[in-house]
Amino acid sequence: MTIHSFNQLPMFILPEVAEALAAGRPVVALESTIITHGMPYPQNVEMAETVEGDIRKAGAVPATIAVMGGSIHIGLSPQQLQALAKTPNARKLSRADLAACLVRGDTGATTVAATMIAAHLAGISVFATGGIGGVHRGAETSFDISADLQELAQTPVTVVAAGAKAILDIPKTLEVLETLGVPVIAYGQSEFPAFWARDSGLPAPLRMDSAAEIAAAHLMRGHLGLAGGQLVANPIPESDEIPLPQIMPMIEQALKEATSQAIATKAVTPFLLGRIFELSAGKSLTANIALVRNNARLGAGIAIEIAKARGN
Ligand code: PSU
Ligand code: MN
């Protein structure tokens, strides 16, 4: 194995993204673990291309983030996107894994936490995805709490997601976010959304009804000198919703299998997502793609408002 030693951060910014950033034009970051560990091929790469197109149509520049051959890439070419989507056993990179992957010259996909770190390094303020990691059910014995939550508390990026999946303990996830001082903002409704379902049955701590207000709050946090980001919880469009009673039995089944197979640490979330896709015969995937697109559009709206407020 070659060990790379670097005197500087190995980071490539795609020219289109670099030009937009230099001019203060809106850019939206996208993660890559959703591609390698969240969806099957070829729907994963189709989703990634479609979502990038949605962001362009909305008037912003997309920047999918990944580590390829030992460098952080901010923005992937269509060829790189294809290559990543087909990389067997691509690593799943969170905060703890980034440096090791870079020095080994490896390829890996960035989770919400790692994407936030890379986006912030590149000067990107807004990031759109599907779902964040959170507090897993049974965390009181497993201690399984995603590093995404700590990242939201320390890295100043506004993350647009569709709330938290019911594979997680949603009440505990909201409690931890409150403890960490992360603003959790439901968009356009008072309830915290639950990924495939628009309503988790729990109220969201905050509600905002416009991209401009979310952008203003992002900038105000900067004036306050607050370190972390904001979590924007955007409900799935009504026409794509899978009601909780329909998805719940599949979630329970997947959780039971994870326990009986002693799935642990990084493998938990990909295992559960994969089993739910299989158990729902693809229905969960269609909804998942619809909600990521919806989040990308809102993310673009927020990035545009931030750029405007900064005078661009
Ligand atoms: N939840 C989803 N889809 C995903 C993920 C979570 O609905 O693709 C991915 C994201 O990349 C997230 C990561 O950051 O899983 C969380 O993994 P863990 O629970 O191991 O922290
Ligand atoms: Mn975990």
Side-chain angles (χ1 to χ4, degrees), residues 22-86:
R25 290 200 305 273
V27 175
V28 178
L30 297 163
E31 63 152 307
S32 43
T33 296
I34 189 176
I35 301 172
T36 55
H37 294 72
M39 293 183 184
Y41 183 85
Q43 289 97 329
N44 59 354
V45 68
E46 286 164 17
M47 177 278 305
E49 285 165 352
T50 306
V51 167
E52 289 201 350
D54 290 330
I55 289 170
R56 286 204 176 86
K57 262 181 250 154
V61 174
T64 301
I65 292 177
V67 174
M68 300 190 77
S71 293
I72 297 178
H73 286 261
I74 308 289
L76 300 181
S77 69
Q79 294 76 7
Q80 288 173 320
L81 209 56
Q82 276 288 343
L84 182 73
K86 281 199 231 173

Side-chain angles (χ1 to χ4, degrees), residues 201-251:
L202 294 163
L206 292 163
R207 167 187 180 153
M208 290 187 188
D209 293 339
S210 73
E213 193 180 9
I214 297 166
H218 177 99
L219 294 167
M220 188 59 72
R221 288 179 56 83
H223 297 317
L224 285 164
L226 299 177
Q230 312 188 102
L231 176 61
V232 178
N234 187 26
I236 184 173
E238 241 160 279
S239 51
D240 300 297
E241 183 176 30
I242 309 178
L244 276 180
Q246 209 177 314
I247 199 86
M248 235 22 186
M250 300 172 206
I251 292 174

Side-chain angles (χ1 to χ4, degrees), residues 18-296:
E19 282 159 27
L21 288 170
R25 290 200 305 273
V27 175
V28 178
L30 297 163
E31 63 152 307
S32 43
T33 296
I34 189 176
I35 301 172
T36 55
H37 294 72
M39 293 183 184
Y41 183 85
Q43 289 97 329
N44 59 354
V45 68
E46 286 164 17
M47 177 278 305
E49 285 165 352
T50 306
V51 167
E52 289 201 350
D54 290 330
I55 289 170
R56 286 204 176 86
K57 262 181 250 154
V61 174
T64 301
I65 292 177
V67 174
M68 300 190 77
S71 293
I72 297 178
H73 286 261
I74 308 289
L76 300 181
S77 69
Q79 294 76 7
Q80 288 173 320
L81 209 56
Q82 276 288 343
L84 182 73
K86 281 199 231 173
T87 303
N89 309 318
R91 286 166 206 285
K92 177 182 161 190
L93 309 173
S94 190
R95 166 175 279 261
D97 316 291
L98 266 178
C101 184
L102 292 170
V103 299
R104 288 175 183 160
D106 281 349
T107 291
T110 50
T111 61
V112 168
T115 305
M116 288 178 75
I117 293 169
H120 180 54
L121 281 169
I124 301 172
S125 302
V126 181
F127 159 30
T129 186
I132 58 156
V135 181
H136 279 262
R137 296 214 225 157
E140 58 275 29
T141 51
S142 70
F143 278 44
D144 189 350
I145 301 176
S146 175
D148 290 352
L149 301 183
Q150 293 280 356
E151 205 59 50
L152 281 160
Q154 58 186 310
T155 301
V157 172
T158 287
V159 179
V160 185
K165 279 205 167 93
I167 58 172
L168 300 173
D169 187 320
I170 298 177
K172 285 193 182 72
T173 301
L174 289 172
E175 289 288 357
V176 169
L177 286 165
E178 182 179 303
T179 302
L180 294 172
V182 177
V184 178
I185 305 162
Y187 180 66
Q189 67 179 30
S190 303
E191 305 81 23
F192 184 72
F195 203 81
W196 294 292
R198 287 172 64 81
D199 184 0
S200 65
L202 294 163
L206 292 163
R207 167 187 180 153
M208 290 187 188
D209 293 339
S210 73
E213 193 180 9
I214 297 166
H218 177 99
L219 294 167
M220 188 59 72
R221 288 179 56 83
H223 297 317
L224 285 164
L226 299 177
Q230 312 188 102
L231 176 61
V232 178
N234 187 26
I236 184 173
E238 241 160 279
S239 51
D240 300 297
E241 183 176 30
I242 309 178
L244 276 180
Q246 209 177 314
I247 199 86
M248 235 22 186
M250 300 172 206
I251 292 174
E252 300 294 351
Q253 172 73 22
L255 285 166
K256 229 171 39 199
E257 290 176 14
T259 306
S260 71
Q261 293 175 41
I263 308 287
T265 64
K266 295 168 109 50
V268 174
T269 299
F271 176 86
L272 295 172
L273 298 180
R275 282 303 287 142
I276 293 163
F277 290 144
E278 287 164 11
L279 292 165
S280 73
K283 199 166 175 225
S284 70
L285 184 55
T286 311
N288 199 343
I289 293 169
L291 67 83
V292 178
R293 298 185 65 183
N294 194 43
N295 296 342

